[in-house]
Amino acid sequence: MAAISREEVAHLARLSRLAVTEEELDTFAGQLDVILQAVAQVGEVAAADIPPTSHSVPLTNIFREDVVTPCLTPQEALSGAPDAEDQRFRVPRILSEDVAS
């Protein structure tokens, strides 16, 4: 049995605002199923006696001292912007107020 259905792929595509053809739905469903199976296999391998890690090798001296350095003024930062308002970049709205569920 597939871990992800065509309908779920179509739902993900809608949420991502991707135009996906019927043929692509089948292709992506198969590809996502392979990915989910691989993730499940990794989960099976993980043993209780192995501590979780974020890096394969220990990290040392990863922090530096906070040093104040010169930076751009708001006017300099916004000087190349196509549009600015209240010392902020003004960009077009990409999400509507009504979110479909």
Side-chain angles (χ1 to χ4, degrees), residues 2 9 15 28 43 48 57 68 78-79 94-95 97:
V9 173
L15 291 175
F28 293 156
V57 295
V68 177
L78 295 169
S79 66
I94 59 169
L95 298 176
E97 293 296 322

Side-chain angles (χ1 to χ4, degrees), residues 68-74 76-77:
V68 177
T69 59
C71 62
L72 298 176
T73 66
E76 291 170 328

Side-chain angles (χ1 to χ4, degrees), residues 4 9 17 20 38 52 58 73 76-78 91-92 99:
I4 189 164
V9 173
R17 295 183 180 207
V20 180
T73 66
E76 291 170 328
L78 295 169
V91 297
V99 178

Side-chain angles (χ1 to χ4, degrees), residues 19 37 67 92:
Q37 287 175 11
V67 178

